[in-house]
Amino acid sequence: MQQDAGYWNPEFELLDRAEIAGLQLQRLKETLERCSRSPFYREWFRNAGFDPASLTSLDDIRRLPFMDKATLRGDDPTRFLTVGLEDIVRMHSSSGTTGQATVIFHTAGDINTWSNMVARCMYMAGVRRSDVFQNMMGYGLFTGGLGLHYAAERIGAMVIPAGSGNSKRQIQLMQEFNTTVIHIIPSYALYLLEVFKEMGVDPKKDTQLRIAVLGAEPHTEGLRSRVQEAYGLKAFNCYGLSEMSGPGVAFECPEKQGLHVWEDYYLLEVLDPASLEPVEEGKEGELVFTSLCREGMPLLRYRTHDLASTYIGDCACGRCHRRISRIKGRSDDMFIIKGVNIFPMQVEKILLGALGVGSNYQIILDTIESKDEMRVLVEVAGELWHGEVRELNRLRARIAEELRQEILISPIIELVEPGFLPQTESKAVRVMDNRDQARGD
Ligand code: ADP
Ligand code: ZN
């Protein structure tokens, strides 16, 4: 077990498997009871021929139908409420990455539970009262801002609610107020390195940064290593989704062997996305969550479309909450080209592993003379761009070869100068699919 265990809720974090299952069953029954108060869920149960009182085991949840973004997207999101509107104190919405944003309502109790859950995550990463926490995520409807804000205050850290963007100001704030912990979108963390360079500030030497929480979008181990190395800090992967309150649903412990899903708050199923049957423990599948503590708007068997695998066995940190791998992507991130299924993270893995690659890349899919064409635009590091053409050619050839081995086809590689690609402060758009029949599945 690690030396500074850093348990925020030891009474829940250290439950053994049997205790977790017992608590989950009790909380699932309470959740179903709450749901039975809402006309929507009463009908949902009736249509499924499901009597909530008949649930006697966790497996019984499999008798219920699934929900997903499409379920939530219809009219009037208040129909999912299991309390009166007067009991709701806040709403949030998803980012709208894949279409119309979904809306989630919270009671005061829900905000309290969520804040505690995220405080647990941050404490596990080593955040303490003495820290200065600069939250570089968008404040507002997006859950990344307020989610960690409340948690850091609960721990007693000083929060700088910087919000997203304003890169130079971010760096000034870090220096002026001795920021030690940041919460940042991974693609933006890479981009910000360019701004550090421009300003002549070395994040490793000229700041007090020691912890980064990276979340909200898929990223590779290679990206994490780059961030850790360049900033001189420890980076932790934070997974969540607004439909399950927001960030903090799963988080890495210092062992960094997967992300612990907080199973006292969520029931996790890992299912084959085609058959919707459970996959074997350790195998990859789609994450499906049932909220166990949400009062205002519980969601049952919510399909995330996020793909990950579970870890087998217990973690050396002492927590028995199940662990998931880094998210490979959403099933809808996958594109098919020349009959091959490709995830953007496969491309990122190769690019960020190559020395000389800069901070941004984009995959562009087109139809040229009725054929699919894949181009990968890769920003190269400044020194290389201004160096010898021979070195650029060498880098292009290396990327081409490694990509061919990874994805089995040979895309066109275009090396571009630093800053060439559009940079967003929110989730990066890695794939531009301009094909006549986009997403040919
Ligand atoms: P949207 O679903 O519209 O993007 P959210 O802001 O609720 O809105 O984002 C949640 C989604 O973001 C997750 O379902 C997942 O696809 C992605 N995500 C969040 N955190 C991570 C992470 N650490 N790694 C990979 N993907 C993540
Ligand atoms: Zn652990």
Side-chain angles (χ1 to χ4, degrees):
M1 196 184 295
Q2 72 205 59
Q3 290 199 325
D4 176 10
Y7 304 117
W8 175 256
N9 298 137
E11 70 282 24
F12 290 104
E13 287 174 66
L14 294 175
L15 293 175
D16 66 25
R17 290 303 314 160
E19 290 166 331
I20 289 175
L23 184 64
Q24 285 189 317
L25 183 58
Q26 176 206 324
R27 289 185 168 176
L28 179 59
K29 285 181 178 170
E30 287 162 8
T31 297
L32 294 180
E33 218 172 272
R34 263 199 307 275
C35 287
S36 304
R37 288 179 219 147
S38 103
F40 167 84
Y41 275 113
R42 276 203 300 272
E43 200 186 325
W44 190 252
F45 294 155
R46 206 170 32 243
N47 289 344
F50 177 79
D51 172 12
S54 71
L55 179 129
T56 54
S57 75
L58 290 174
D59 277 346
D60 282 345
I61 196 159
R62 293 176 55 196
R63 306 207 317 258
L64 272 171
F66 296 100
M67 310 178 94
D68 66 4
K69 281 196 196 284
T71 326
L72 300 182
R73 270 177 187 149
D75 306 328
D76 187 16
T78 60
R79 69 191 188 284
F80 300 98
L81 292 184
T82 54
V83 298
L85 252 184
E86 65 281 5
D87 290 322
I88 296 300
V89 300
R90 200 197 293 170
M91 67 168 270
H92 274 288
S93 81
S94 66
S95 306
T97 312
T98 57
Q100 189 199 337
T102 55
V103 174
I104 300 293
F105 297 101
H106 300 267
T107 64
D110 291 332
I111 296 293
N112 186 37
T113 308
W114 179 27
S115 305
N116 182 65
M117 179 176 84
V118 184
R120 188 191 287 181
C121 299
M122 295 179 80
Y123 198 82
M124 177 163 78
V127 180
R128 297 292 182 268
R129 283 174 61 84
S130 51
D131 277 302
V132 176
F133 172 61
Q134 189 164 325
N135 195 5
M136 300 163 70
M137 290 277 184
Y139 275 72
L141 286 168
F142 177 52
T143 51
L146 289 171
L148 270 82
H149 180 109
Y150 274 63
E153 282 191 353
R154 186 168 288 209
I155 290 174
M158 183 180 97
V159 180
I160 306 179
S164 61
N166 249 326
S167 305
K168 289 196 170 136
R169 178 87 182 110
Q170 298 280 5
I171 294 171
Q172 285 159 357
L173 284 170
M174 282 176 198
Q175 292 197 284
E176 196 171 339
F177 299 103
N178 295 322
T179 302
T180 53
V181 182
I182 51 174
H183 179 209
I184 186 165
I185 292 199
S187 52
Y188 185 65
L190 271 194
Y191 164 75
L192 199 65
L193 287 172
E194 303 290 329
V195 185
F196 269 106
K197 230 181 262 171
E198 251 172 61
M199 290 173 70
V201 180
D202 179 349
K204 211 168 181 171
K205 294 205 192 94
D206 306 330
T207 73
Q208 305 293 316
L209 294 176
R210 59 185 203 91
I211 294 173
V213 176
L214 300 180
E217 68 180 9
H219 55 290
T220 53
E221 197 58 48
L223 189 152
R224 187 229 297 272
S225 307
R226 278 192 180 212
V227 168
Q228 293 197 143
E229 175 54 30
Y231 285 82
L233 48 65
K234 289 190 176 145
F236 292 82
N237 190 355
C238 171
Y239 167 78
L241 58 160
S242 50
E243 293 86 358
M244 290 295 130
S245 293
V249 171
F251 202 94
E252 275 177 324
C253 70
E255 299 294 329
K256 300 219 173 133
Q257 297 293 313
L259 293 78
H260 288 284
V261 172
W262 297 122
E263 291 184 282
D264 49 338
Y265 291 143
Y266 299 101
L267 180 66
L268 167 68
E269 296 172 82
V270 186
L271 306 181
D272 179 315
S275 68
L276 295 173
E277 289 298 317
V279 298
E280 230 177 276
E281 199 69 24
K283 292 273 172 354
E284 182 181 289
E286 175 179 339
L287 306 179
V288 175
F289 290 104
T290 295
S291 68
L292 295 175
C293 290
R294 280 253 294 274
E295 298 172 343
M297 189 170 161
L299 294 181
L300 310 176
R301 303 200 86 194
Y302 181 78
R303 287 187 62 181
T304 63
H305 298 285
D306 291 328
L307 301 172
S309 47
T310 47
Y311 279 66
I312 297 176
D314 294 334
C315 183
C317 76
R319 297 172 183 88
C320 296
H321 295 254
R322 272 163 89 194
R323 288 169 292 154
I324 53 168
S325 67
R326 212 166 257 294
I327 306 286
K328 179 176 177 188
R330 303 181 206 238
S331 46
D332 29 15
D333 286 343
M334 189 189 80
F335 56 91
I336 303 176
I337 192 147
K338 296 180 183 162
V340 183
N341 298 350
I342 300 172
F343 279 91
M345 286 305 107
Q346 291 178 276
V347 176
E348 177 173 307
K349 191 171 97 187
I350 299 302
L351 297 181
L352 295 190
L355 211 66
V357 168
S359 62
N360 206 348
Y361 70 94
Q362 197 164 47
I363 300 163
I364 302 183
L365 307 176
D366 285 304
T367 308
I368 308 286
E369 295 175 354
S370 357
K371 285 208 184 104
D372 283 350
E373 181 188 89
M374 173 176 173
R375 281 185 300 147
V376 185
L377 270 53
V378 186
E379 283 189 12
V380 295
E383 314 83 67
L384 194 72
W385 184 254
H386 298 292
E388 290 184 38
V389 177
R390 205 177 40 192
E391 291 300 322
L392 283 174
N393 288 338
R394 203 170 281 165
L395 176 65
R396 188 188 296 106
R398 176 171 167 204
I399 292 173
E401 174 53 22
E402 289 188 6
L403 270 182
R404 194 184 58 77
Q405 284 181 22
E406 172 71 31
I407 60 177
L408 308 174
I409 60 165
S410 300
I412 300 166
I413 313 293
E414 291 180 22
L415 300 184
V416 298
E417 65 184 304
F420 178 85
L421 293 169
Q423 179 63 47
T424 59
E425 293 144 8
S426 46
K427 304 184 187 208
V429 180
R430 295 303 194 190
V431 182
M432 299 275 288
D433 198 342
N434 308 321
R435 290 178 292 180
D436 295 347
Q437 283 178 309
R439 297 187 182 277
D441 52 355

